[in-house]
Amino acid sequence: MKGIKKVSRRNFTKLSASAIGSIPLMGFNTELLSSPQNRFDELNVNLFSKHLQFLDYNNMSEAAAEMGFNGLDLTVRAKGHVLPEKVLDDLPKAAEAMKKHGLHTQLLTTNVWDTNGSEPINVLKTASKLGFSHYRTGWLTYPEDRTIEESQLMYGKQFKDLELLNKNLKLIGCYQNHAGKHVGAPIWDLLPILEATNNEHVGCQYDIRHAVVEGGTSWELGLRLIRPFIKTIVIKDFKWGLSNGKWKPINTPLGEGSVDFGRYFSLLKKYQINVPISLHLEYDLGGAEHGDKKIKIDKKIVFERMIKDLTFLRETWRRTN
């Protein structure tokens, strides 16, 4: 990736969507960027590294930095950028590449939930040594052989145990609300689990896309309920559509779906929720949306779509009171 021009993050958010089509693979011409003061440098946006798993550590870090991201939400899980069984060797390499290109080493996405076994311990201890501060935990379900209340009680105790380890390691573990039959899909059921902790080194990774899928027009109530526990947030969008004769959520670029980002951002500002952001792109990216190692479209197109979503995110945040 030689010959790449560095782009100031201060100027990046002024990049217009209309200019995106003329941007070469990774050479962002300064003529396309305006220089007025930008008040959203404080908006900490990390790109979900799942969508760059067709690149190695150095190239993914270079690409994310050139596109204007503050950091990467690095996948440390099965089929991720860093495999848990290789975390001692590979996570330092990934972190070194990120730091080399000026990216924050802040967010990880893991499958860690409990403290049993050496693998999750190695993941968290290594992350802590390298300066990461937040990680997403694994998802939970409600087994049929016990009541939901019994499961909530058990998961609350486990989360509190995890919080004790996180405190020693100066980490924050975040449970993501995810649509479907996962624990936390309705948002309301997360409260007993979160309230079993001290709300210091564990919390919620709030995902607005999944909250709207499950909450419809009542998602604001769930946000209001869970807001004291939000430690990180995920940004993505969707719309309802027919697929094989059945209605289902269909992922879209930001601003083209059902999420009312203007309203959502106004509530985040009202509630003074200022936490790290992980940007996900789950719509068609030639396989990059699924974390494929080989993609079916030119990576230039993938980068352009990432830039478009990032620009929408920052400009919408700036316009929202």
Side-chain angles (χ1 to χ4, degrees):
M1 293 188 181
K2 295 181 179 180
I4 298 172
K5 293 184 179 180
K6 296 294 182 183
V7 176
S8 165
R9 291 192 182 98
R10 181 176 301 281
N11 296 335
F12 172 79
T13 57
K14 295 298 182 179
L15 182 62
S16 66
S18 62
I20 289 174
S22 63
I23 298 175
L25 176 58
M26 289 296 290
F28 302 118
N29 296 323
T30 56
E31 291 83 359
L32 297 176
L33 305 174
S34 55
S35 59
Q37 291 292 319
N38 187 334
R39 293 297 87 198
F40 293 104
D41 292 343
E42 296 81 11
L43 194 65
N44 185 346
V45 185
N46 301 269
L47 176 63
F48 194 26
S49 84
K50 168 184 172 181
H51 308 311
L52 292 178
Q53 286 186 184
F54 57 91
L55 299 175
D56 61 23
Y57 299 148
N58 185 69
N59 286 335
M60 76 163 179
S61 299
E62 183 179 27
E66 288 292 332
M67 287 185 284
F69 289 94
N70 300 97
L72 288 162
D73 180 358
L74 187 64
T75 53
V76 184
R77 59 185 182 181
K79 300 182 180 180
H81 257 124
V82 176
L83 301 179
E85 62 269 24
K86 295 183 178 181
V87 70
L88 296 175
D89 294 325
D90 289 352
L91 188 54
K93 295 175 184 177
E96 181 181 4
M98 292 169 65
K99 292 175 181 177
K100 173 184 174 182
H101 293 284
L103 299 176
H104 296 163
T105 52
Q106 186 176 41
L107 297 186
L108 297 178
T109 291
T110 76
N111 289 326
V112 173
W113 174 256
D114 59 41
T115 57
N116 296 323
S118 60
E119 195 170 277
I121 299 296
N122 286 338
V123 167
L124 297 186
K125 285 186 175 181
T126 306
S128 176
K129 290 178 181 178
L130 294 170
F132 288 90
S133 57
H134 298 69
Y135 68 93
R136 191 175 88 188
T137 67
W139 292 318
L140 303 170
T141 59
Y142 289 117
E144 292 288 344
D145 61 353
R146 61 173 177 258
T147 68
I148 288 178
E149 291 78 10
E150 288 171 339
S151 291
Q152 288 173 319
L153 182 63
M154 182 184 73
Y155 293 144
K157 291 178 179 178
Q158 290 175 346
F159 214 17
K160 187 170 181 62
D161 289 340
L162 188 59
E163 184 178 35
L164 293 175
L165 175 62
N166 289 341
K167 182 177 181 179
N168 291 332
L169 296 176
K170 298 181 180 179
L171 293 172
I172 298 175
C174 307
Y175 185 87
Q176 180 195 19
N177 59 293
H178 195 291
K181 296 182 180 179
H182 297 283
V183 172
I187 294 292
W188 301 84
D189 65 320
L190 268 182
L191 198 60
I193 298 171
L194 294 170
E195 286 183 334
T197 73
N198 292 325
N199 190 25
E200 294 176 353
H201 291 273
V202 292
C204 174
Q205 181 174 83
Y206 183 79
D207 189 315
I208 184 61
R209 182 264 192 202
H210 291 295
V212 175
V213 168
E214 293 293 349
T217 57
S218 71
W219 65 267
E220 292 187 31
L221 298 177
L223 175 64
R224 186 171 138 198
L225 179 75
I226 209 73
R227 66 182 183 180
F229 299 95
I230 295 175
K231 301 295 191 294
T232 60
I233 62 176
V234 170
I235 296 291
K236 52 191 174 188
D237 204 353
F238 82 101
K239 64 182 178 182
W240 290 99
L242 282 171
S243 177
N244 297 322
K246 295 183 179 180
W247 287 95
K248 61 179 291 186
I250 298 174
N251 296 308
T252 70
L254 299 188
E256 298 181 16
S258 300
V259 176
D260 184 347
F261 284 102
R263 178 59 178 165
Y264 177 47
F265 290 166
S266 71
L267 290 173
L268 290 180
K269 291 181 178 182
K270 175 182 176 181
Y271 298 149
Q272 298 184 328
I273 298 174
N274 183 19
V275 296
I277 295 170
S278 179
L279 176 62
H280 293 208
L281 301 91
E282 304 289 350
Y283 53 90
D284 184 16
L285 293 177
E289 72 276 19
H290 300 306
D292 290 353
K293 301 292 185 180
K294 294 183 179 180
I295 57 175
K296 299 176 182 177
I297 62 176
D298 192 320
K299 56 186 176 182
K300 170 186 174 182
I301 298 174
V302 176
F303 297 147
E304 289 172 352
R305 292 176 183 173
M306 291 175 172
I307 292 168
K308 184 179 178 182
D309 272 8
L310 181 59
T311 302
F312 173 89
L313 169 57
R314 287 190 165 138
E315 291 187 349
T316 304
W317 181 268
R318 174 176 56 81
R319 292 194 301 266
T320 302
N321 295 320

